[in-house]
Amino acid sequence: MEKVRFGVVGTNFITDWMLAGAVQDSRFELAAVCSRTKERAEAFAARYDIPHIFTSLAEMAESDAIDAVYIATPNFRHADQSILCMSKGKHVLCEKPLASNAAEVRLMAEAAEKYGVTLMEAMKSTLTPNFRKLAENIGKAGKIRRYSSTYCQYSSRYDSFKSGNRVNTFDPACSNGSVMDIGVYTIYPMVVLFGAPDRIRASATLLSSGTDGQGSVIFGYADGMEASVAYSKISDSYLPSEIQGEDGTIIIDHISRMKHLSFIPRVTSGDADRRGETHQEDWTVLSDKDVYYHEVSEFISLVLAGKRESETNSLRNSLLTMEIVDEIRRQTGVVFPADGR
C-alpha cells in the first residue's frame, strides 16, 4: 500500500488531536517533527516514535524523508511556512484558518499551482460523513430560507488573558481572535453549501488586545435566503445549528464536529394527527473513526491521486471564507499586523 510520509510543524494539542485521527488511516506515516527547540522536538518525537527531528523548517522542507507537511503553528505563520514547504515540492495540509487574510490565501494558492503540489485547509467538519449526508440530502428541506449556526466556547486561555498575560489566542500579532479561531467553523460550511453571500452585517465585542472576544454576523443572499452566525471565546453556548427550509429543518448538533444530524419535516396545517408533535428523522451516519481522520484521509487520497485540491475544502471555498472574514474584521475594527505585509 502506498503511504504518505508526513512531517508535522507545531507540537501543541491540535497536532495531538490530528494525529489521533491520522493513525487510523493505514496510508499515513509520521516521519518527522519540527519545533523551535530541540528539547520540545525530542519530547514529541519520543511520544510518537518519530524518526526525524528538525528545529529548522527550511531543513525539513528540503528533506527527502517526507512527502507532505501538516502545519499547526499560529495563524500568522501559515502562509509563509506553507509557501516555503510547497516551494520544495512538499504537499501541505494547513490548519484552519488557512491564512491571516485573503491576500495570503491567494499567494498560497498561486504557490500550489506553481509548484504542482496539493494544498488543503484542515477544516475537519465539512469532510465528516454527516456533512456529506447533509449536502446530499439538503434538497429534502425544500427551498432554503435560513442558515443559523452558533459556536461559543469559553477559552481555556481567557482567564489568563484577564489576569494581564499575553496569550496567542487573543493576540492580533498572531492573527487570532474569536472569528479566526472558531467563527470560521460557522462560516465555512455556509460557503460550501450556499456560496458567498451578497450582504454582510457584523458586530463584535473587542478586547483590550484589539482582537474580538465574540461576534455575530447576518448574511443576505440574492435568492432571499438569510444566514446568521454567532461565535464567542468568552462565553459558552449549547445551541445546535439549523438549516431551515420550506419543507423542513435540518438540525446539526455541533457545527465543528457534526456527530449527530437530524431532519424534522414540516407538519402541514391539515395534518391534525401530527399537529404539535415532532416527527424527527435521524440522519446521523455512525462512524468508528475519529473526527480528525476524515480530513487526513481526504488529503492523503488527493496526494496519491495527483489531485491539487479537494472538491469540498477547495481553495476557492477557503478564499471565499477568508474574504468574508476580512470583511467582518473590517466592519468590526479588528486589524492584524499581517494585513500590512
Side-chain angles (χ1 to χ4, degrees), residues 54-328:
F54 298 90
T55 56
S56 165
L57 180 58
E59 291 181 6
M60 188 171 83
E62 290 274 9
S63 173
D64 59 5
I66 62 170
D67 308 302
V69 176
Y70 168 73
I71 294 177
T73 50
N75 300 336
F76 79 105
R77 298 304 311 275
H78 287 182
D80 66 298
Q81 290 181 337
S82 294
I83 291 171
L84 169 62
C85 292
M86 288 188 287
S87 73
K88 303 303 179 181
K90 301 302 187 285
H91 308 285
V92 173
L93 175 63
C94 184
E95 260 307 324
K96 60 81 197 164
L98 191 58
S100 297
N101 50 50
E104 290 186 347
V105 173
R106 293 188 188 97
L107 291 175
M108 295 166 74
E110 290 170 3
E113 177 68 22
K114 178 179 179 180
Y115 299 112
V117 295
T118 304
L119 171 64
M120 192 184 87
E121 183 172 2
M123 176 61 69
K124 65 181 186 293
S125 55
T126 46
L127 296 172
T128 60
N130 281 313
F131 183 82
R132 296 185 189 277
K133 173 78 172 184
L134 186 163
E136 291 169 359
N137 291 274
I138 194 170
K140 293 182 179 180
K143 183 175 179 58
I144 303 302
R145 288 302 188 183
R146 178 174 296 277
Y147 168 91
S148 178
S149 182
T150 300
Y151 188 4
C152 302
Q153 180 174 292
Y154 192 95
S155 171
S156 60
R157 310 289 177 84
Y158 187 46
D159 288 340
S160 178
F161 174 81
K162 289 192 293 182
S163 297
N165 297 314
R166 183 175 180 177
V167 296
N168 287 354
T169 304
F170 301 107
D171 189 351
C174 293
S175 301
N176 223 326
S178 185
V179 69
M180 296 290 282
D181 190 18
I182 61 178
V184 291
Y185 277 116
T186 66
I187 298 167
Y188 202 102
M190 180 188 78
V191 169
V192 174
L193 292 170
F194 309 112
D198 298 278
R199 302 179 304 281
I200 300 174
R201 187 166 77 249
S203 63
T205 299
L206 299 191
L207 304 178
S208 58
S209 63
T211 59
D212 58 331
Q214 65 180 6
S216 58
V217 191
I218 297 175
F219 304 97
Y221 283 79
D223 64 355
M225 190 192 88
E226 289 193 353
S228 61
V229 301
Y231 44 86
S232 177
K233 296 283 287 180
I234 58 178
S235 65
D236 289 317
S237 174
Y238 303 94
L239 293 174
S241 295
E242 290 186 344
I243 298 174
Q244 301 171 14
E246 293 186 354
D247 295 334
T249 298
I250 301 167
I251 302 174
I252 307 161
D253 67 328
H254 196 291
I255 199 65
S256 76
R257 295 189 295 270
M258 299 196 184
K259 289 187 176 180
H260 299 286
L261 189 69
S262 60
F263 175 65
I264 301 177
R266 178 176 61 84
V267 177
T268 62
S269 58
D271 193 345
D273 293 336
R274 297 180 60 194
R275 194 177 302 150
E277 299 179 5
T278 298
H279 288 256
Q280 186 166 306
E281 300 175 10
D282 187 359
W283 283 7
T284 301
V285 179
L286 298 178
S287 174
D288 61 352
K289 301 296 186 183
D290 184 271
V291 68
Y292 283 85
Y293 160 84
H294 306 288
E295 68 178 33
V296 178
S297 179
E298 171 86 354
F299 179 75
I300 290 175
S301 293
L302 294 172
V303 170
L304 294 180
K307 296 182 179 180
R308 300 301 171 219
E309 61 180 297
S310 167
E311 291 184 9
T312 303
N313 286 15
S314 66
L315 297 180
R316 173 176 169 75
N317 286 336
S318 293
L319 177 59
L320 289 175
T321 298
M322 195 50 59
E323 288 176 340
I324 291 169
V325 172
D326 283 356
E327 176 59 19
I328 292 170

Side-chain angles (χ1 to χ4, degrees), residues 5-19:
R5 301 167 302 163
F6 279 75
V8 296
V9 188
T11 55
N12 55 37
F13 62 90
I14 296 176
T15 306
D16 290 324
W17 292 349
M18 184 280 293
L19 291 175

